[in-house]
Amino acid sequence: MKPVTGLARGSGVRRGRRAGAGRVPGRTVAPPHASPSSSSSSNAAVVVPGDTVLVAGATGGVGQILTKKLVERGYVVRALSRSFSKSMELLGTHPNLTHVEADITRPETLVDGVRGCRAVCCTTGTTAFPTLRWLGKNDPDTNTWVGTRNLVDACREGKECGRFVFVSSAGVKRYDAGPPYSILNAFGVLVAKEKAETYLANSGMPYTIVRPGRLTDAPYTSYDLNTLMKGESGERREVNLSLEEELDGETSRAAVAESCVQSLVHAFMENETFSIESVLGEGPETSDEEWASRLRAMRM
């Protein structure tokens, strides 16, 4: 199936599997007292400027860009990270920006952060292979799976969140099919992301899941080849979008961040899971209309 790009708008694309479809036994966990049929659609709506949005992982590469984009659009943003001082250093101050020091692996620290939030964007993550970043409960299973589950639970208990956007990864449905994703998943990072996806999809909260390929462009906060080589998207400002878990190309951090914004802007992106990669072309940039055109074509 050919993915949708800005150069092929309106082309027919069949709907892919929802998050959690075709689950592997023993690798997915459903939240207690929740099911896909209990989705709280009555709480879902477009998230508009002036609404409060929590960005978890705000000091990461995608998180920094997303936080700044939301502030520029007029949202009231809570930048959640483990270090208040680091958040202040990287993101600065703004009347619409609050720095929240919390740890997603410790659920008791999340209650105040999510209270009153209309939306939550989870951009947290860690390295796929063992590094010093794994110290302090920052391995993939604890950070990505347990941490995301804690954040989802905090939002469900607060009953105010109208959209939960989760940045996942390409390969979450293909790590058993050989390289490159079997290698990337050697220490379980894709299994952790898959479990987090499924938990969110079964939580009953309105959600959007974004699956980018290997991330390019500054800020370089991860420990991978693109960071070492300072990988850049260059002229690749267009995006391929697909409901299938099939894209393998690199993805600009800016494109991922903007796709999160657009997932909040457009109500029809509720309960959607899609893949994204950067390709040659001018791209939609920050135009709501251009993004809407591409996202609608993807869903046809």
Side-chain angles (χ1 to χ4, degrees):
M1 184 191 73
K2 185 177 180 180
V4 168
T5 72
L7 303 178
R9 276 176 257 169
S11 58
V13 181
R14 64 185 177 87
R15 182 174 295 275
R17 292 183 300 175
R18 298 282 186 185
R23 295 191 292 270
V24 179
R27 286 184 177 155
T28 59
V29 183
H33 314 303
S35 68
S37 61
S38 66
S39 177
S40 54
S41 297
S42 61
N43 196 37
V46 174
V47 183
V48 299
D51 285 342
T52 300
V53 180
L54 176 76
V55 178
T59 58
V62 172
Q64 289 181 52
I65 300 172
L66 176 57
T67 298
K68 293 173 182 177
K69 282 178 173 288
L70 290 170
V71 168
E72 289 171 358
R73 278 180 172 252
Y75 291 93
V76 178
V77 182
R78 294 179 187 169
L80 185 149
S81 71
R82 290 175 173 173
S83 172
F84 180 88
S85 59
K86 182 178 180 181
S87 184
M88 284 284 292
E89 177 186 354
L90 293 175
L91 299 170
T93 60
H94 189 279
N96 283 355
L97 177 62
T98 302
H99 301 274
V100 178
E101 185 172 289
D103 185 344
I104 60 172
T105 68
R106 297 170 55 207
E108 69 276 9
T109 70
L110 300 174
V111 178
D112 290 339
V114 302
R115 183 178 293 119
C117 287
R118 185 63 179 144
V120 169
C121 297
C122 182
T123 67
T124 58
T126 188
T127 56
F129 302 98
T131 66
L132 291 177
R133 287 186 65 178
W134 281 26
L135 298 176
K137 297 182 179 180
N138 204 39
D139 59 279
D141 193 66
T142 307
N143 175 294
T144 302
W145 159 226
V146 176
T148 305
R149 182 188 66 192
N150 290 341
L151 191 56
V152 169
D153 286 346
C155 292
R156 290 177 64 232
E157 291 171 9
K159 299 180 181 179
E160 297 173 281
C161 183
R163 183 69 61 83
F164 191 112
V165 179
F166 175 55
V167 178
S168 183
S169 173
V172 292
K173 300 297 182 184
R174 293 178 285 166
Y175 52 79
D176 287 335
Y181 298 113
S182 59
I183 298 173
L184 183 63
N185 189 54
F187 292 90
V189 66
L190 294 180
V191 169
K193 288 182 180 291
E194 182 186 34
K195 289 194 293 186
E197 281 192 12
T198 304
Y199 193 83
L200 172 59
N202 290 339
S203 69
M205 281 198 310
Y207 68 89
T208 306
I209 296 170
V210 183
R211 293 170 172 165
R214 189 167 63 179
L215 299 174
T216 64
D217 300 314
Y220 300 101
T221 60
S222 57
Y223 293 80
D224 62 10
L225 184 60
N226 269 333
T227 295
L228 179 64
M229 303 300 293
K230 296 293 186 289
E232 297 182 353
S233 58
E235 298 299 315
R236 293 176 293 167
R237 294 189 294 273
E238 186 56 84
V239 291
N240 277 352
L241 305 172
S242 177
L243 290 172
E244 298 284 358
E245 208 283 272
E246 62 180 359
L247 302 183
D248 296 309
E250 297 175 337
T251 314
S252 165
R253 286 180 172 87
V256 178
E258 186 62 33
S259 73
C260 292
V261 174
Q262 296 298 326
S263 295
L264 301 178
V265 168
H266 301 295
F268 63 81
M269 288 305 294
E270 176 190 339
N271 297 344
E272 291 285 9
T273 299
F274 68 96
S275 300
I276 179 172
E277 66 181 0
S278 298
V279 295
L280 286 174
E282 289 303 313
E285 299 293 339
T286 60
S287 168
D288 293 351
E289 291 184 358
E290 291 294 327
W291 274 95
S293 175
R294 289 158 174 77
L295 291 167
R296 288 186 187 279
M298 173 189 72
R299 298 171 70 248
M300 291 176 61

